[in-house]
Each structure stands twice: as C-alpha cells, then as structure tokens.
Amino acid sequence: MNTPKNPQLRKAIRDRHSFFGNNPIIVKLLDDIQRVALKNTPILLDGETGTGKSLLARKIHDLSQRKGPFVSINCATFSQHLLETELFGHAKGAFTGAKDARKGLVATAQNGTLFLDEIGELPLDSQPKLLHLLEEKTIRPVGSDKEYNTSVRIVAATNQRLKDLVKQGLFRADLYYRLSVVPFTAPPLRERPDDIEALTTTFVSQLCEEHELSKPSISTESINALKAHDWPGNIRELRNHIERSLLLGTPLHEKLPINKNHSPATSTRCLKSLEKAHILKVIDESNGNKSQAANNLGISRRTLDRKLKRWQQAA
Ligand SMILES: Nc1ncnc2c1ncn2[C@@H]1O[C@H](COP(=O)(O)OP(=O)(O)O)[C@@H](O)[C@H]1O
Ligand SMILES: [Mg+2]
C-alpha cells in the first residue's frame, strides 16, 4: 500500500502540480521563462522566501530539454572549502582525507542544470571561481591543475537583494552582472490574492491524498479569510497552514497566523474600524483602483462600494 510516509509518493503527489497561477504577473512570468528556458544563459530568480523560486528553477530545467540532470545545492549550508569541493570536485590527495579523486556537482550536472540556491550566501572568495565557470565554461577541481570543459546551465536564486550586497561589498559586481542577464522575480503571494483559491484547492487535494484524509469542502468564508491574509511566508506558509488545518480538522479560516501589519495598537480597536483601516489600505495599495482592491480583498465591487458609501455618509 502507498503509505504517506513513502517519500517517493509524497514527492510524486507534489510534482504533479508544479509552479502554476493565473494572476497576470504569473502568466507573464511563465511566458518569459518558456522563452529563455531553451537558451543556455544563466538565470537569476529573486523573491521572498516561499514564493516558489525552487519550483521555478525545476520548471526551467523541465522546459529546457537538456538531457542531463537537475542538480541543486544550497550555498548557505556549506563552509567555503566544502562548497568548493562539493561544486568543483577534488583531485586525489588534494587535502587530508581525500584518498580518491571525486567529481563535483558541476560535473554531475553536465548537460543539465545546476541550481545554486541562496546565491547571496556564496562566500566572496568562491565568487571568482563561479565567474570563471560562467565565462570560460571550465572548472578546475580543488587541488588539481587540470581544467575540464563543462556544459551546464546555471540557475541561481536569492531572497536577498543582490544589488544591495554588491553595494555592501559582499557580492562581486562582475558576477552579479553575469548572473543577472536574465532576471526574474517571483512575486509575493499578497500581490496575487486572485490565485489563492486555485492554490488552496490544489493543496487541499494534494494533502488529503498524501495524508489519506477525505476531502472537506472549502467555504467562501475560508477563501475570503485566506485572501485577506498577508502571508509573509508566502506559498510555503499557505501550504503549511492548510496542512495543519487538515490534520487538526479545523476550518481553513481559523487559527490563521497573525498578520504582521497588525500592530498591538490596532489589535485592540473594534472590528469595524479595523475593517475600515484594512480596506482603505488595500485601496491605497491598489493605487485607487477599486475593482482591483475588491478583488484583492475577496469581496465584490458592489460590496466595496456599499461600505465606502456608508463610511462617507457617517463622516
Ligand atoms: N506557483 C506555485 N504553485 C504551486 N505551488 C507552489 C508555487 N510556488 C510555491 N509553491 C509551493 O510552495 C512551497 C515553497 O516553494 P519553494 O519553491 O520552495 O519557494 P522558495 O524557493 O521561493 O522559498 C513548496 O511547497 C512549493 O511546492
Ligand atoms: Mg527554495
């Protein structure tokens, strides 16, 4: 029997729904990605945590028709020395304990894609080596004097503003410009609330299958509450919230994480004034476009107009 503990099954269920969305920003993003996926240029993905950068990297590889594998490494989890041997491999006897030569991830990803996650954490001293790989298409394993030709597509991701790191002297400008020839930004979930319903439906189906639960129906109240939420942890946070709710059997609109914008001063205000402040803020964020604001709030344009009229009359 397929058990939920089977990691392959979990992965298969997840992979069935790769990066998707109907919000115009996402549609344009996927369109642009489709266009460059077949080329060999490096791609830089930026965006807040949980916005789907890793998923996008995978998607780029799937669309690229490259025959080699997708290989991923998180630059934040290794020391400089380990990261370099991990990436470029090492020669026999390169350092104590290096009994045999070992090939690195660049070689493993030959003819495929190497995904460098959290590229902003790449140590300054390792950055020239990556630049060399990008420019010369060759690598030299640690402790070796031979150069090897490579054919690998580099996709890098960051949740930091690399430009700021360049200004602070933590990231080489030349590497930044080489990496950011084709940059893409994964938008935060709060900028695409119109996708929340489809994402929620998909995650509920996936997670019920994964945990062998029967699928609950999703109320409009839940969808509206999910749309009104900030989601600082973006899609990852939404998915985790849904998983927790399903496992505990609580409705999706309950036990939402506290919105980060709600300061203690506002939390003691009455619900009506909070509602008004929130609605005005959303209209402001939508540059006064009321239809878009209503959409972002998860209410109809008519409801929004009615509320505004009531406040005008009370003023
Ligand atoms: N557009 C999307 N469609 C479906 N699932 C998504 C999407 N974006 C992110 N996810 C899900 O959200 C979680 C976080 O995505 P991930 O790619 O790891 O984000 P990041 O790398 O930006 O931190 C994963 O569970 C992923 O499956
Ligand atoms: Mg990631």
Side-chain angles (χ1 to χ4, degrees):
M1 194 186 94
N2 285 336
T3 70
K5 286 176 203 80
N6 179 338
Q8 271 162 340
L9 171 70
R10 288 180 69 118
K11 194 173 172 311
I13 293 171
R14 259 173 220 205
D15 285 354
R16 220 178 296 150
H17 300 279
S18 66
F19 194 96
F20 74 95
N22 296 314
N23 174 284
I25 307 175
I26 299 295
V27 173
K28 166 97 172 52
L29 177 67
L30 291 175
D31 225 45
D32 290 347
I33 276 180
Q34 182 118 30
R35 196 159 308 140
V36 295
L38 289 162
K39 308 281 185 272
N40 290 328
T41 46
I43 292 183
L44 179 65
L45 304 170
D46 78 359
E48 293 175 14
T49 182
T51 48
K53 298 181 296 297
S54 302
L55 220 55
L56 270 180
R58 180 82 227 194
K59 176 132 199 153
I60 291 166
H61 173 71
D62 292 344
L63 291 169
S64 74
Q65 297 180 6
R66 295 181 73 91
K67 299 271 184 297
F70 176 81
V71 176
S72 147
I73 181 168
N74 186 326
C75 302
T77 50
F78 293 93
S79 65
Q80 185 200 336
H81 170 73
L82 270 179
L83 186 67
E84 288 183 15
T85 52
E86 212 43 44
L87 281 174
F88 306 118
H90 61 75
K92 183 176 172 177
F95 47 86
T96 324
K99 282 201 209 97
D100 296 299
R102 202 181 132 221
K103 72 173 186 177
L105 296 181
V106 177
T108 307
Q110 180 72 357
N111 299 320
T113 306
L114 180 66
F115 175 45
L116 301 172
D117 204 358
E118 301 205 38
I119 189 79
E121 299 290 329
L122 186 69
L124 206 48
D125 287 341
S126 305
Q127 293 177 15
K129 292 170 189 143
L130 178 60
L131 184 65
H132 181 81
L133 165 64
L134 288 165
E135 293 194 326
E136 309 298 330
K137 313 272 184 292
T138 60
I139 52 162
R140 195 167 58 79
V142 175
S144 164
D145 45 21
K146 276 204 214 116
E147 293 252 337
Y148 297 89
N149 290 331
T150 62
S151 166
V152 63
R153 159 44 113 36
I154 304 285
V155 177
T158 176
N159 54 20
Q160 311 184 61
R161 287 177 50 87
L162 277 195
K163 235 186 180 154
D164 292 346
L165 295 185
V166 172
K167 274 190 212 139
Q168 292 164 33
L170 295 171
F171 205 86
R172 290 177 65 108
D174 47 9
L175 179 58
Y176 167 70
Y177 289 116
R178 190 72 195 92
L179 278 174
S180 61
V181 176
V182 188
F184 292 110
T185 300
L189 187 53
R190 63 184 170 279
E191 283 177 17
R192 44 183 292 222
D194 44 342
D195 276 339
I196 285 195
E197 184 161 4
L199 285 167
T200 301
T201 316
T202 305
F203 291 152
V204 167
S205 302
Q206 278 181 13
L207 290 160
C208 285
E209 189 177 342
E210 196 175 295
H211 295 296
E212 297 175 337
L213 296 165
S214 57
K215 217 160 82 186
S217 58
I218 307 165
S219 68
T220 319
E221 187 186 2
S222 288
I223 294 296
N224 289 344
L226 296 177
K227 280 187 176 178
H229 192 69
D230 252 359
W231 302 114
N234 295 295
I235 304 181
R236 179 178 293 113
E237 190 185 16
L238 173 68
R239 196 177 196 284
N240 289 346
H241 169 74
I242 293 173
E243 184 162 27
R244 194 180 323 117
S245 304
L246 290 171
L247 290 172
L248 298 176
T250 47
L252 292 177
H253 55 271
E254 281 180 19
K255 298 209 163 52
L256 273 167
I258 310 280
N259 263 349
K260 68 171 190 283
N261 288 345
H262 285 187
S263 65
T266 57
S267 64
T268 54
R269 280 156 61 180
C270 78
L271 200 57
K272 282 261 175 292
S273 67
L274 271 182
E275 182 194 32
K276 184 174 169 187
H278 181 65
I279 287 179
L280 294 177
K281 188 178 123 241
V282 174
I283 294 177
D284 202 25
E285 282 169 354
S286 317
N287 297 320
N289 181 332
K290 284 189 221 145
S291 301
Q292 193 192 325
N295 194 18
N296 290 355
L297 287 160
I299 58 177
S300 71
R301 173 68 202 259
R302 256 188 38 221
T303 307
L304 178 62
D305 284 339
R306 222 178 35 237
K307 283 177 189 293
L308 289 172
K309 202 158 165 204
R310 202 179 319 132
W311 292 328
Q312 275 161 5
Q313 283 164 353

